[in-house]
Every structure is written in C-alpha cells, then in structure tokens.
Amino acid sequence: MSYPTTGSDAVLQPPLPDVQILTTGKRRIPAHSAVLASASPVLESMLMDVPEKKKKKKRGGKERVIPILGVPYDAVNAFLRLLYSPPRSLLPAEEGKEAEAEMAEHGVHLLVLSHVYRVGWLKRACERALASRMAAEVVVDLLVLARRCDAAWLHLRCMKFIAKDFAAVERTEAWRFLQENDPFLELDILQSLQDEHLRQKRRRRKAKEQRLYAELSEAMECLQHICTEGCVEVAVPPSGRDDAPRGHPDCPNPATCRGLQQLIRHLAACDRKKQQQQRGCPRCKRLWQLLRLHAAICHQPDPCKVPLCPQFKEKMEQMKGKEEIDEEKWKVLAKKVASARVMSYLAKRKRQEGIQEEQPWLKHKFMD
C-alpha cells in the first residue's frame, strides 16, 4: 500500500499501536485506540478513563493497557481481527470466509466478547454461526449462553430446536447436569415447551375450524347452484370414454355437488317410520342442517328457490328476542360461514388475476 507524501519525498508511516491488550497468560496484543473506540462504545469508555497505574512510559509517550482476561488468547486475537474488519456483509469473499472460520472456531467466546463490549454486528453474526451448527448435545449450553448474553434470536432458535426434538435433548449429559444444578431453568424450559404445545394446539384447532367453515361455505354455494341452475350429475359411459358432460359447466365443485345430490335423493327415498324408530336418520338430519344454515345466511330479496328457505327465515324471525343457546350457536356459525364465503371469493378473484397461486378445491364429505 502506498501512502501520500509531503513536500519532501518522505512517506507517511501508518500510526503505531498505542494500546496493549492484556490477555490470559500475560500475553499482549498491540492495537490502535482509534479502531477500538470506533468499534465498541465500551472500549471507547475504557480508553478515555484508563487508570494511571496501568499507563507506562514508552519512548516519551504513554502506552495504555486494557485487560481482557478469562478468555483464551486465540479468541481475543480473533475478536480484535474482526474489530479491524468491516461487518461480514461488507467483507470481500476471501475475508468473509476467514471471518466465518474464526466464528466457527471461537463462536462461544466471540459471542461473549461481542456482548460485553457491545459490538452489535459481530454479536448477530455469532448468533447465526452458532445456530447453524446447533445439535442436541450443545443446545442446552447454547440456551444458557443465550440467556446470559441477552441473545434473544439465539434463545428462540434453541427453544425451537428443543421443542422439535426434546426426546434427544433429554438424553444428553447437558440436560442431566441442568436438572441437578439449575431446576428453575429446567422448569422455565418445560413451561415454555408446554406453552408452545398449547399454542400449536390452538393454531391447529383454528385451522381446522377455518377449513370446516370454508367447506360449509362451498356447500352453501353448491346448494344454491343446484336449486337455481339445476346441476345434474351425469355418469361416465361404461366404455370408459370421458366425452359425456359431467353436470353444469358453471358447477363450483362437482364433488360437493355430487354429494349434495345424493343427500337430496336419499331424503326423498328415506323411510319416515324407520327414521322415527332410529331417532332420526343422520343423513337426512345433515341435509336439514345445511338447509337451515343456508336460510341463516341467505339475503335474497326475491323468494329463494332453495327448499324450505322461506320457512326457516320465518322461524328465525319468530325466535328473535328469545334467548336460546341453540339459536345463538346457529347465529355464530352463520357469521363464520358468511365470512369464509367472502374470503373464498376474494381468494378466487386473486387466483383469476394471477396474484395468488391456485389452491386445490376444499373437499367436503357428505356421505357416511
């Protein structure tokens, strides 16, 4: 590297190190105070207030000594080299690989040093490096380290790893040591796992409910389509040819329409005496419930062509003002199905516009 010259041809030499980093084993590493102060606010504060007893005369000047003890010499040396480098995203390819190798070798110590001396970019890089090599044997130690170093991102990754494979973590020596020496942390981890299990259970139940509402919304659409446009199921020819029409061309979902048509045909042919003996036919009851749900969300001003829709609407008008648990449940169900219908309509429109990838039709089984 060349340096600018003054009036004479004398070359300006780079500044000499003016700080000595005292490490374990009384080994020293020379450094520049300006670099350390710009990289770490903690080191900057230490450089501004170094005790007089730690200053030594050298060649007419003052030499400052900053102790970094309790950490291996190689880790401190790697820490200082990284402080002299820009953040990893700004490093060239060769230097970036070297920095990654140093963090892989001294990741734990570098995380501690970057936390103590508040080097944010290095702390985040160490968290990512440690998380990329996480295993069941070390995840408990990393979790304890993340808690002590206030590394929230690494702590979250450790908890997710433990929740994913707790059986393997429970067999490790680190977990047994934790049980014997820190039962409060063990209880905290187990409580977090329990909370995560409950959250996942609620999410699964919520997703299941949303799928059910979407399927009921699709059933309401198909029921309206059958009664207004006359969707008729046509069987495939015995020869195996697939050239025969399969119902109405605008059928929202042939599988759902086919199931509804089978329910309607069953209702027409079902033996009423047999229904009374068996306390009601479950398939007939299912169709009656669908007809009632349709009436609850139907807002057509003209007479609806769906069977029994006016009768159900009249009954609901008569039930207004009466507090019945069953009616309240139907109102809540009707609101959720109507909301699912709106969301389904928006999703279909987005798919048609090419904004969202096509999703498979939701299937609803109406037959036992």
Side-chain angles (χ1 to χ4, degrees):
M1 173 182 280
S2 60
Y3 296 91
T5 58
T6 57
S8 62
D9 293 336
V11 177
L12 292 178
Q13 298 295 332
L16 295 174
D18 56 349
V19 179
Q20 292 288 327
I21 305 299
L22 180 63
T23 67
T24 303
K26 298 184 179 181
R27 301 179 66 178
R28 299 190 177 207
I29 304 174
H32 298 83
S33 60
V35 175
L36 301 181
S38 62
S40 166
V42 177
L43 290 174
E44 181 182 14
S45 177
M46 294 174 66
L47 289 168
M48 292 176 62
D49 189 21
V50 177
E52 289 295 332
K53 62 180 181 179
K54 294 187 178 181
K55 296 181 181 179
K56 294 183 179 181
K57 296 285 184 178
K58 185 176 181 180
R59 297 181 181 177
K62 292 183 178 180
E63 183 184 62
R64 289 170 286 186
V65 178
I66 296 180
I68 301 182
L69 305 175
V71 181
Y73 169 82
D74 293 337
V76 178
N77 198 16
F79 175 66
L80 294 176
R81 282 199 302 269
L82 290 170
L83 292 186
Y84 274 78
S85 305
R88 290 177 58 193
S89 58
L90 304 178
L91 287 173
E94 296 294 334
E95 297 181 10
K97 292 180 181 179
E98 183 180 352
E100 289 182 1
E102 289 179 337
M103 279 186 284
E105 184 179 359
H106 308 290
V108 173
H109 295 106
L110 289 176
L111 177 62
V112 174
L113 291 172
S114 60
H115 170 69
V116 172
Y117 294 102
R118 295 169 57 187
V119 185
W121 71 268
L122 181 56
K123 182 177 180 179
R124 292 188 294 270
C126 292
E127 288 184 74
R128 291 193 295 269
L130 292 172
S132 64
R133 286 175 290 274
M134 193 176 298
E137 293 75 14
V138 299
V139 65
V140 175
D141 296 331
L142 289 180
L143 178 64
V144 175
L145 177 66
R147 291 168 66 94
R148 294 180 178 177
C149 293
D150 195 20
W153 187 85
L154 181 60
H155 183 276
L156 180 61
R157 292 291 174 177
C158 292
M159 291 303 302
K160 287 184 175 180
F161 187 94
I162 294 175
K164 184 178 180 181
D165 195 5
F166 180 68
V169 175
E170 199 174 16
R171 293 192 298 267
T172 61
E173 184 65 29
W175 180 260
R176 289 191 290 270
F177 181 83
L178 179 68
Q179 288 179 310
E180 296 175 359
N181 295 274
D182 197 345
F184 292 102
L185 178 56
E186 178 196 5
L187 181 61
D188 190 19
I189 294 173
L190 294 177
Q191 184 63 47
S192 299
L193 294 179
Q194 177 67 14
D195 294 342
E196 178 63 22
H197 173 71
L198 294 177
R199 283 193 295 269
Q200 291 180 0
K201 190 176 180 179
R202 286 194 296 268
R203 284 195 293 267
R204 287 194 295 267
R205 184 174 65 248
K206 186 70 173 179
K208 185 178 180 180
E209 291 176 355
Q210 292 299 324
R211 287 195 298 269
L212 175 61
Y213 299 144
E215 290 169 357
L216 288 174
S217 173
E218 187 178 84
M220 296 299 99
E221 186 178 358
C222 290
L223 184 62
Q224 182 82 20
H225 167 70
I226 291 172
C227 297
T228 56
E229 301 177 1
C231 184
V232 179
E233 179 185 5
V234 179
V236 180
S239 61
R241 295 170 54 195
D242 201 13
D243 54 354
R246 291 178 176 271
H248 199 277
D250 295 329
C251 181
N253 191 334
T256 304
C257 281
R258 186 161 51 250
L260 281 170
Q261 291 167 31
Q262 291 174 357
L263 282 180
I264 294 172
R265 287 196 294 269
H266 170 80
L267 179 65
C270 187
D271 188 359
R272 297 295 186 273
K273 293 182 179 180
K274 188 176 180 181
Q275 288 187 28
Q276 294 178 359
Q277 292 175 359
Q278 298 179 355
R279 298 182 180 179
C281 175
R283 297 178 66 183
C284 294
K285 186 182 296 185
R286 185 176 302 173
L287 182 58
W288 281 97
Q289 291 173 344
L290 292 175
L291 294 173
R292 182 180 179 182
L293 180 60
H294 163 79
I297 63 177
C298 180
H299 300 289
Q300 292 187 7
D302 299 331
C304 182
K305 294 184 179 180
V306 176
L308 301 178
C309 183
Q311 289 83 349
F312 277 120
K313 287 182 179 179
E314 182 179 356
K315 184 178 180 180
M316 286 185 289
E317 287 292 331
Q318 295 174 358
M319 295 300 297
K320 279 187 176 180
K322 297 181 180 180
E323 297 182 358
E324 290 192 9
I325 298 177
D326 184 59
E327 291 297 324
E328 291 298 325
K329 289 181 178 180
W330 274 100
K331 289 180 182 179
V332 173
L333 178 61
K335 289 181 180 179
K336 292 184 179 295
V337 172
S339 176
R341 172 179 285 188
V342 173
M343 298 302 296
S344 176
Y345 170 75
L346 293 176
K348 290 178 183 177
R349 190 174 67 178
K350 286 184 178 181
R351 285 198 295 268
Q352 292 173 357
E353 295 174 355
I355 300 177
Q356 181 174 325
E357 294 182 2
E358 185 176 357
Q359 300 289 337
W361 284 98
L362 292 170
K363 305 294 183 183
H364 185 72
K365 297 181 180 179
F366 291 97
M367 299 185 63
D368 293 335

